[in-house]
Structures are given as C-alpha cells and as structure tokens.
Amino acid sequence: MAEFDRDTGAATWPHELYDLLRRAGVTQFAYVPDAGHKVLIDRSLADPDAHSIPLTTEEEGVALLAGADLGGARGVLLMQSSGVGNCINMLSLIAGARFPFLTFVSMRGEHGEGNPWQFPMGQAVAKVLEAMGVICLRAERADEVIPTASAALTMAFQSGQAVAVLLTQKLIGAKSF
Amino acid sequence: MARLNRIQMSALPVPVLDRRQAVPALIERPQDYLVVAGLAGTAQELTAMTADAASVFGLGGAMGAAPMMGLGLALARPDRRVLVVTGDGELLMGLGALAAIAVQNPPNLKIVCVDNGHYGETGNQDSHTGLGVALDMIARGAGIPVVCRIDTAADIPEGRRLLAEPGLAFILLRVTEGPPAKIKRNLQPHVARDRFRAALAG
C-alpha cells in the first residue's frame, strides 16, 4: 500500500495500524486525545465491535489494560509523550503482575520541536519507561510503523512483555507554532 | 499550628458502622462477582470474606488502580458481574476514573467505596473525606447513574438491592475508623493474576 493517500496526501499508516490491531484481537482502545492518534481514536469510536475509552489521565489506561487482561481481553493505550510521566507508579502493576502491556506514544520534545515545554518529558520518555520495565521500540519512517507494531504485538501478547512503540516526531512531523 | 479546613457544606452524619460487619452485610455473596479490591483494607477484607478466592484480585500497591481495573474487566467480560471494592484514599487518588467509567456506563460494574475517612495504613491521618469531602456527590457529578450513600444499618438493604440490580452503580459505605477483617494473603501480584485468569478460563 502507498504510504500516502493519492488524493489527500494523508499518511495511510494510521489506518493500516488500526486494522492490524483489530486483526490481532485488540478490543479496548484507551486514550488521552492527541493529534498524533486522531485516526486511531476516530476509528475506535466508529467501530461497533471495539471499546473506545477516553481517559482523564494516562495512568487510568495502565490500570484499565490490566483489568482487560484479567478478563482475557486485549487493549492498547494511546498517549502523547507528556502522558508517559503520569503512568510511572501505575506501571508497577504491570511489572509486578506481569501483565502484557502495549502502548503507542506519539512523541513531542524531540526532532524539530518548537515548544520548549515539551522537551523535559519528551527527552525522558524512553528512560522512564525502561526504568519501569517497558521495552521501547521506535518508528522513524512511515514504512517502519506496521513492522514495528507487528513486532510489539507479538512481544506483548505472545511473550507477555510490556512494550511501548514510540511514534517519533520525525514520523509524525513537528507541529508549527 | 497548621489547620486544615473542615468542609461544612456536605454536613455528613458522623459514621457509626463497623466495617467488619457492614462490608459483609452489604456484599453478601462476594463469590458471585469478579472482584478487584483496592489498597489496602478492602483487599484484606475481600480476601478474608472469600477465603482467598481466585476471583478476587487484591492490590498491594499501584494505589488508585482498582476502579479502572474494574472497568477494563467489566468491558472484557460483559457476561459476568464485576465488583470494585475500594477505599476513600484510593478513590481520591484518581477521581477522574469516575468520569471515565461513567462515560462507558458498563451495566455489569458496581463500585463500593468503604470510606473510613482516614489513611488507615499510614498512621490514621484524616483523609479528605474525613474532613468533609463527599464522594457520593462527586460520583453523581461524574455521571454515575445510580449513587447510594450508606450511613447506618438501616441504609444497608437499599445498598444490597442496588448491588443485585443490573446497571452501573456507586455505593459509598461510610464506616468508623478501625481495622478491616484480615487474612494472610499472598502479595505476589503475578500469582494473583495467573490464578484469576486460570479460574476464569475454567
């Protein structure tokens, strides 16, 4: 499939990613809204067979996915890099109980960022996730997203690991200010 | 000396119920539910009430997790009744969860908050509810469709009735200070996860 829609110029990977997650049995999509996740959020809202779960803060999503696993369901947490910091202690639930965990983090505070407020957390994302036992995979280019997500799905739901896919600012594009 | 504002607006009656009687009186058959029990008193008493049943996932950390774990579980298993039993301290740590849960409105989820107005595990400091914060009003404002407050033994039958009915409900059980029922429990969370899932898979 082409990386960009021929008519609109929009990236096609977000739609492919949603389809991939659904084929992998993901039924719970938890998120704090972010422009980088717009397609996944909209797709989940329109999907009669999935739960679209807006959160008030990101750590709610960590606990939600643990509960989903207790019930035998699969979910993903969609958040921006700033939200990673809100999850830290709640990730002790994932590490301690060995819950599978999969999150997609849209990155800010890196490649070309124009808002200085985004740097402290953006630059700390991989360090704090790894400190809490979450394996980080990075997608830098559109053609890397689906292979990286496929790898992460296997690692999380077959091997029971906690995995974050960092959708980098190079991939998503820096917001202009 | 620093003084904390005792909030007057809610004018709640002084708690009189002992949790060791009130929790089992409200939740008569905990084994009928998939239970997520919060840190720490409620995890101890639900474990004790069920003789350490596999269907109870009790937290020993990750304070604040219980309500949202219950939501994930309720959405995953619409065929089963899910019960979250949590304390005032844990609920106060993540009040936004009530809003997130109300927006989903799962009909198979009940939330019981055992509110003793204190942080019982850490030296019995006043919690915000002990200073007058009204969690039932917060739950109602968050959009939980059925909210019930239990102050006395006379209120318990109404709570039992709401637990038995379908539909998302929040029950605030106000109790005095004092220890919960206790049992020695395994604090290894991965053991609790594995046996919960194994029991559910049947």
Side-chain angles (χ1 to χ4, degrees):
Chain A
M1 189 188 263
E3 287 170 20
F4 297 93
D5 185 281
R6 199 182 305 174
D7 298 323
T8 65
T12 53
W13 64 259
H15 287 285
E16 293 175 59
L17 177 55
Y18 188 81
D19 294 335
L20 173 71
L21 295 172
R22 291 291 286 118
R23 279 199 308 275
V26 172
T27 54
Q28 297 194 16
F29 292 82
Y31 53 85
V32 172
D34 180 59
H37 293 307
K38 186 174 189 312
V39 169
L40 273 76
I41 292 169
D42 288 346
R43 289 284 305 272
S44 70
L45 282 165
D47 187 341
D49 299 319
H51 297 287
S52 183
I53 304 156
L55 310 168
T56 72
T57 179
E58 290 81 0
E59 67 265 37
E60 292 170 3
V62 179
L64 177 101
L65 297 187
D69 175 77
L70 282 183
R74 295 178 175 182
V76 293
L77 171 58
L78 312 175
M79 61 178 160
Q80 191 188 100
S81 45
S82 51
V84 168
N86 294 342
C87 295
I88 297 172
N89 183 52
M90 202 59 88
L91 288 167
S92 61
L93 176 65
I94 302 300
R98 303 174 195 168
F99 285 110
F101 177 73
L102 180 55
T103 182
F104 289 84
V105 181
S106 55
M107 292 300 296
R108 297 287 307 271
E110 49 174 34
H111 193 87
E113 176 65 59
N115 180 354
W117 292 77
Q118 291 285 353
F119 280 93
M121 193 64 238
Q123 288 296 311
V125 159
K127 291 176 199 163
V128 300
L129 285 173
E130 284 163 3
M132 290 307 293
V134 180
I135 299 165
C136 294
L137 305 179
R138 289 175 69 88
E140 304 268 356
R141 299 194 320 263
D143 64 359
E144 290 176 346
V145 174
I146 297 304
T148 306
S150 298
L153 281 161
T154 302
M155 293 160 75
F157 297 119
Q158 187 169 315
S159 297
Q161 301 297 304
V163 185
V165 175
L166 309 187
L167 303 171
T168 62
Q169 208 153 8
K170 205 169 187 176
L171 168 72
I172 295 170
K175 189 174 170 183
S176 59
F177 285 89
Chain B
M1 181 183 158
R3 285 186 50 209
L4 301 176
N5 182 30
R6 287 196 175 269
I7 296 160
Q8 298 302 316
M9 54 178 284
S10 63
L12 293 163
V14 174
V16 296
L17 293 169
D18 184 322
R19 67 190 299 163
R20 287 169 296 184
Q21 286 91 51
V23 174
L26 174 65
I27 307 164
E28 287 182 299
R29 293 178 53 82
Q31 63 273 27
D32 289 353
Y33 298 87
L34 302 176
V35 178
V36 179
L39 183 74
T42 50
Q44 288 165 352
E45 63 205 347
L46 268 292
T47 304
M49 284 164 60
T50 57
D52 198 17
S55 58
V56 174
F57 187 91
L59 293 171
M63 187 168 174
M68 289 303 290
M69 284 189 78
L71 176 62
L73 179 55
L75 294 177
R77 292 303 301 255
D79 57 319
R80 295 292 300 268
R81 299 198 293 162
V82 175
L83 176 65
V84 169
V85 191
T86 183
D88 47 306
E90 175 165 65
L91 197 61
L92 284 161
M93 193 167 268
L95 289 173
L98 292 171
I101 290 166
V103 165
Q104 297 297 318
N105 196 22
N108 58 331
L109 179 62
K110 303 282 188 280
I111 303 166
V112 171
C113 177
V114 182
D115 178 2
N116 66 357
H118 290 82
Y119 292 98
E121 292 292 309
T122 56
N124 239 32
Q125 299 88 348
D126 281 337
S127 81
H128 301 68
T129 66
L131 295 165
V133 171
L135 287 171
D136 56 328
M137 292 171 73
I138 292 172
R140 197 162 286 147
I144 305 288
V146 173
V147 175
C148 161
R149 193 180 88 217
I150 296 175
D151 292 309
T152 69
D155 301 330
I156 288 178
E158 172 66 2
R160 273 204 297 262
R161 188 183 69 75
L162 293 175
L163 277 185
E165 282 189 353
L168 174 62
F170 176 88
I171 298 171
L172 183 66
L173 175 62
R174 297 181 66 243
V175 299
T176 57
E177 294 175 58
K182 283 192 181 173
I183 187 172
K184 185 79 179 163
R185 63 187 180 110
N186 187 331
L187 281 173
Q188 290 291 339
H190 67 277
V191 174
R193 173 193 176 245
D194 290 347
R195 69 178 197 156
F196 189 105
R197 286 173 52 94
L200 198 52

